[in-house]
Short mmCIF file of all heavy atoms in Angstrom, two decimals:
data_model
loop_
_atom_site.label_atom_id
_atom_site.label_comp_id
_atom_site.label_asym_id
_atom_site.label_seq_id
_atom_site.Cartn_x
_atom_site.Cartn_y
_atom_site.Cartn_z
N SER A 224 95.74 105.25 114.70
CA SER A 224 96.38 103.93 114.76
C SER A 224 97.25 103.62 113.58
O SER A 224 97.92 102.63 113.68
CB SER A 224 95.20 102.91 114.95
OG SER A 224 94.25 102.91 113.84
N VAL A 225 97.03 104.31 112.52
CA VAL A 225 97.82 104.01 111.30
C VAL A 225 98.76 105.11 110.78
O VAL A 225 99.49 104.98 109.80
CB VAL A 225 96.92 103.58 110.10
CG1 VAL A 225 95.94 102.44 110.51
CG2 VAL A 225 96.14 104.81 109.56
N LYS A 226 98.69 106.22 111.50
CA LYS A 226 99.62 107.30 111.16
C LYS A 226 101.10 106.89 111.19
O LYS A 226 101.50 106.33 112.11
CB LYS A 226 99.29 108.50 112.18
CG LYS A 226 98.18 109.43 111.83
CD LYS A 226 98.02 110.49 112.78
CE LYS A 226 96.80 111.37 112.42
NZ LYS A 226 96.44 112.40 113.51
N GLY A 227 101.75 107.37 110.14
CA GLY A 227 103.22 106.96 109.98
C GLY A 227 103.37 105.62 109.25
O GLY A 227 104.50 105.25 109.05
N ARG A 228 102.36 104.83 109.21
CA ARG A 228 102.51 103.42 108.70
C ARG A 228 101.78 103.37 107.27
O ARG A 228 102.29 102.60 106.44
CB ARG A 228 101.95 102.45 109.63
CG ARG A 228 102.68 102.47 110.98
CD ARG A 228 102.21 101.17 111.77
NE ARG A 228 100.80 101.19 112.11
CZ ARG A 228 100.04 100.20 111.82
NH1 ARG A 228 100.39 99.19 111.13
NH2 ARG A 228 98.76 100.29 112.19
N PHE A 229 100.64 103.94 107.18
CA PHE A 229 99.84 103.95 105.97
C PHE A 229 99.92 105.21 105.19
O PHE A 229 100.07 106.26 105.78
CB PHE A 229 98.32 103.68 106.32
CG PHE A 229 98.04 102.27 106.97
CD1 PHE A 229 99.08 101.40 107.34
CD2 PHE A 229 96.71 101.94 107.05
CE1 PHE A 229 98.71 100.15 107.82
CE2 PHE A 229 96.48 100.61 107.60
CZ PHE A 229 97.43 99.78 107.97
N ALA A 230 99.75 105.09 103.88
CA ALA A 230 99.78 106.34 103.09
C ALA A 230 98.73 106.11 101.89
O ALA A 230 98.71 105.10 101.25
CB ALA A 230 101.13 106.51 102.42
N ILE A 231 97.85 107.10 101.81
CA ILE A 231 96.81 107.13 100.70
C ILE A 231 97.15 107.96 99.61
O ILE A 231 97.92 108.96 99.79
CB ILE A 231 95.41 107.50 101.30
CG1 ILE A 231 94.35 107.24 100.36
CG2 ILE A 231 95.50 109.04 101.77
CD1 ILE A 231 92.90 107.46 100.98
N SER A 232 97.02 107.54 98.33
CA SER A 232 97.35 108.41 97.25
C SER A 232 96.53 108.13 96.07
O SER A 232 95.71 107.13 95.96
CB SER A 232 98.82 107.97 96.81
OG SER A 232 98.88 106.64 96.45
N ARG A 233 96.52 108.97 95.02
CA ARG A 233 95.69 108.81 93.87
C ARG A 233 96.50 108.66 92.68
O ARG A 233 97.77 109.23 92.57
CB ARG A 233 94.83 110.17 93.58
CG ARG A 233 93.88 110.42 94.64
CD ARG A 233 93.11 111.73 94.18
NE ARG A 233 92.12 112.16 95.09
CZ ARG A 233 90.84 111.72 95.08
NH1 ARG A 233 90.47 110.86 94.21
NH2 ARG A 233 89.91 112.12 95.99
N ASP A 234 95.99 107.98 91.70
CA ASP A 234 96.58 107.91 90.28
C ASP A 234 95.35 108.25 89.38
O ASP A 234 94.57 107.42 89.18
CB ASP A 234 97.10 106.52 89.97
CG ASP A 234 97.85 106.47 88.54
OD1 ASP A 234 97.33 107.30 87.69
OD2 ASP A 234 98.64 105.69 88.43
N ASN A 235 95.32 109.46 89.06
CA ASN A 235 94.18 109.94 88.28
C ASN A 235 94.19 109.34 86.83
O ASN A 235 93.09 109.17 86.28
CB ASN A 235 94.11 111.46 88.15
CG ASN A 235 93.82 112.02 89.56
OD1 ASN A 235 93.09 111.43 90.40
ND2 ASN A 235 94.33 113.30 89.75
N VAL A 236 95.31 109.03 86.32
CA VAL A 236 95.31 108.38 84.98
C VAL A 236 94.69 107.00 85.09
O VAL A 236 93.92 106.61 84.17
CB VAL A 236 96.85 108.24 84.55
CG1 VAL A 236 96.81 107.47 83.21
CG2 VAL A 236 97.36 109.66 84.28
N LYS A 237 94.93 106.33 86.10
CA LYS A 237 94.36 104.98 86.32
C LYS A 237 93.00 104.94 87.01
O LYS A 237 92.38 103.93 87.12
CB LYS A 237 95.32 104.02 87.07
CG LYS A 237 96.64 103.80 86.35
CD LYS A 237 97.55 102.80 87.04
CE LYS A 237 98.72 102.53 86.29
NZ LYS A 237 99.70 101.58 86.95
N ASN A 238 92.60 106.19 87.36
CA ASN A 238 91.28 106.33 88.15
C ASN A 238 91.30 105.29 89.39
O ASN A 238 90.33 104.61 89.56
CB ASN A 238 90.11 106.10 87.27
CG ASN A 238 88.81 106.72 87.71
OD1 ASN A 238 88.84 107.71 88.47
ND2 ASN A 238 87.69 106.18 87.28
N THR A 239 92.39 105.46 90.04
CA THR A 239 92.61 104.44 91.12
C THR A 239 93.07 105.20 92.38
O THR A 239 93.90 106.15 92.28
CB THR A 239 93.50 103.39 90.79
OG1 THR A 239 92.95 102.60 89.70
CG2 THR A 239 93.73 102.40 91.83
N VAL A 240 92.59 104.83 93.55
CA VAL A 240 93.21 105.28 94.81
C VAL A 240 93.85 104.04 95.57
O VAL A 240 93.36 103.00 95.51
CB VAL A 240 92.05 105.91 95.78
CG1 VAL A 240 92.64 106.22 97.12
CG2 VAL A 240 91.66 107.25 95.09
N TYR A 241 94.97 104.30 96.12
CA TYR A 241 95.79 103.30 96.72
C TYR A 241 95.91 103.51 98.23
O TYR A 241 95.82 104.67 98.73
CB TYR A 241 97.17 103.22 96.17
CG TYR A 241 97.16 102.93 94.70
CD1 TYR A 241 97.43 103.92 93.76
CD2 TYR A 241 97.09 101.65 94.16
CE1 TYR A 241 97.59 103.67 92.53
CE2 TYR A 241 97.11 101.42 92.76
CZ TYR A 241 97.36 102.49 92.00
OH TYR A 241 97.31 102.23 90.60
N LEU A 242 96.10 102.47 98.89
CA LEU A 242 96.42 102.55 100.35
C LEU A 242 97.54 101.70 100.61
O LEU A 242 97.63 100.42 100.56
CB LEU A 242 95.25 102.08 101.24
CG LEU A 242 95.55 102.14 102.82
CD1 LEU A 242 95.52 103.73 103.18
CD2 LEU A 242 94.59 101.51 103.59
N GLN A 243 98.79 102.39 100.82
CA GLN A 243 100.02 101.60 101.04
C GLN A 243 100.09 101.36 102.53
O GLN A 243 100.02 102.31 103.26
CB GLN A 243 101.28 102.43 100.59
CG GLN A 243 102.61 101.84 100.89
CD GLN A 243 102.83 100.50 100.07
OE1 GLN A 243 102.53 100.53 98.89
NE2 GLN A 243 103.38 99.48 100.73
N MET A 244 100.19 100.12 102.92
CA MET A 244 100.20 99.76 104.29
C MET A 244 101.54 99.08 104.71
O MET A 244 101.92 98.07 104.17
CB MET A 244 99.14 98.81 104.62
CG MET A 244 97.75 99.33 104.15
SD MET A 244 96.41 98.30 104.77
CE MET A 244 96.78 96.70 103.91
N ASN A 245 102.39 99.78 105.47
CA ASN A 245 103.65 99.28 105.94
C ASN A 245 103.66 99.06 107.46
O ASN A 245 102.65 99.38 108.14
CB ASN A 245 104.67 100.36 105.65
CG ASN A 245 104.80 100.74 104.16
OD1 ASN A 245 104.69 99.78 103.28
ND2 ASN A 245 105.07 101.89 103.81
N SER A 246 104.63 98.28 107.79
CA SER A 246 104.78 97.97 109.29
C SER A 246 103.43 97.25 109.85
O SER A 246 102.98 97.77 110.90
CB SER A 246 105.22 99.13 110.11
OG SER A 246 106.42 99.65 109.53
N LEU A 247 102.93 96.47 109.10
CA LEU A 247 101.62 95.88 109.49
C LEU A 247 101.67 95.26 110.77
O LEU A 247 102.70 94.47 111.15
CB LEU A 247 101.01 94.92 108.39
CG LEU A 247 100.52 95.78 107.16
CD1 LEU A 247 100.31 94.80 106.03
CD2 LEU A 247 99.08 96.29 107.61
N LYS A 248 100.59 95.28 111.51
CA LYS A 248 100.53 94.58 112.86
C LYS A 248 99.25 93.67 112.94
O LYS A 248 98.30 93.86 112.13
CB LYS A 248 100.21 95.74 113.92
CG LYS A 248 101.21 96.78 114.04
CD LYS A 248 100.91 97.82 114.94
CE LYS A 248 101.96 98.94 114.99
NZ LYS A 248 101.57 100.02 116.01
#
């Protein structure tokens, strides 16, 4: 349901994981 719209990524320096959510429904 989120493929192509959401992207997960890491920033190991900040010890943080992000979820970028685009084209939200």
Side-chain angles (χ1 to χ4, degrees):
S224 59
V225 306
K226 279 180 181 176
R228 301 188 298 122
F229 290 11
I231 192 170
S232 63
R233 294 182 179 273
D234 184 332
N235 293 332
V236 173
K237 295 184 178 180
N238 203 22
T239 299
V240 170
Y241 301 100
L242 184 69
Q243 178 67 43
M244 306 188 298
N245 299 325
S246 302
L247 283 161
K248 304 175 181 180

